[in-house]
Amino acid sequence: MITLKTERLTLRQVMPNDATSLLSYLSKPEVVAHMGLEPFTSLDDALEEIAWYDTIVRDGTGMRWGITLTGQDEVIGSCGFLNVSSKHHRTEIGFELSPAYWGQGIAGEALDAVIRHGFVQLGFHRIEALIEPENKASQRLVERHLFTREGLLRGYEFTRGNYDDLYMYSLLKHEMCT
C-alpha cells in the first residue's frame, strides 16, 4: 500500500502494532457515534478493525490509511476508500479522527490527499460520502471539499439495531480543484 504525504501528515498502512492507538480513539463514543459501531472495548476490537483494513485491500474493495503526524508514529485517525466499483470507476470515502486533533484541519488535509490519490492515481470518476444527518461536522468537511449533497437515503443501513438514514454526497473528478 502506497504511503501518502502532506505538509503535516503521513498516511500509511495500519499495522497490528497500531492497535493501541486505534483503541485509544475508537473507544470514544463521540468518535464512533456516526460510524455504525459500538465503542471499542479491547485490543481485540482494534485488531479486528486492522484485519478488516487488510481484507478490503486484499479483496480490492477498498483501502484505509492510518493518519499520523509527520515524524510521529502514533495513528490518530484513518481515511480511505470502501465499496470500490472498478467497473463504474467509483468508491465511497470514510474518515475518523481522534478528538484530541479535531478543529486543526487534519481531517481535511488527510481527506484532500486521499481524494487526490483516488482521482489521479486510481482513476476514479466519482467519490461518494454517506453521512448521517446528525453528523454536521462531516457534512461541513465534505462540503468544503466541493462534495454535492444529492439526497437522503432513507433507512439505508441497519446498524446497532436501527435503520439509519444517510445523506449521499458525491464529488466527480472534473469538479476537484487542481
Side-chain angles (χ1 to χ4, degrees):
M1 186 168 167
I2 191 165
T3 298
L4 305 176
K5 294 188 179 274
T6 71
E7 184 178 327
R8 299 182 291 166
L9 308 175
T10 299
L11 286 75
R12 63 166 176 81
Q13 183 176 3
V14 180
M15 305 299 289
N17 61 348
D18 295 313
T20 301
S21 297
L22 265 66
L23 179 60
S24 73
Y25 66 85
L26 290 173
S27 62
K28 298 186 183 315
E30 64 271 29
V31 174
V32 299
H34 302 294
M35 295 174 61
L37 300 173
E38 293 293 336
F40 287 14
T41 59
S42 70
L43 277 178
D44 284 342
D45 291 339
L47 288 167
E48 285 178 27
E49 184 77 0
I50 294 166
W52 176 71
Y53 297 167
D54 292 340
T55 298
I56 63 174
V57 169
R58 187 176 52 253
D59 294 347
T61 59
M63 60 195 69
R64 197 79 171 195
W65 286 270
I67 301 169
T68 67
L69 298 174
T70 298
Q72 299 180 26
D73 202 40
E74 179 186 4
V75 174
I76 60 171
S78 78
C79 185
F81 300 123
L82 56 151
N83 297 323
V84 170
S85 172
S86 298
K87 177 181 178 180
H88 299 291
H89 307 274
R90 75 171 177 248
T91 189
E92 294 173 23
I93 197 163
F95 48 87
E96 83 280 331
L97 189 65
S98 171
Y101 299 93
W102 289 359
Q104 299 175 34
I106 291 171
E109 192 171 324
L111 191 66
D112 186 58
V114 171
I115 290 168
R116 190 167 304 282
H117 181 73
F119 284 138
V120 176
Q121 274 75 38
L122 301 178
F124 293 127
H125 169 72
R126 174 184 169 98
I127 298 176
E128 301 170 344
L130 299 173
I131 302 173
E132 289 183 0
E134 299 80 21
N135 190 349
K136 304 295 186 198
S138 290
Q139 291 172 44
R140 285 190 302 272
L141 178 60
V142 298
E143 288 168 359
R144 281 194 306 272
H145 282 80
L146 305 180
F147 280 71
T148 299
R149 184 190 301 179
E150 296 181 334
L152 180 68
L153 303 172
R154 299 177 308 135
Y156 191 74
E157 285 185 338
F158 186 74
T159 60
R160 296 175 295 172
N162 296 303
Y163 291 98
D164 296 326
D165 296 341
L166 297 172
Y167 283 130
M168 169 64 79
Y169 282 87
S170 71
L171 179 65
L172 301 181
K173 184 175 184 175
H174 71 271
E175 297 169 333
M176 181 184 77
C177 291
T178 54

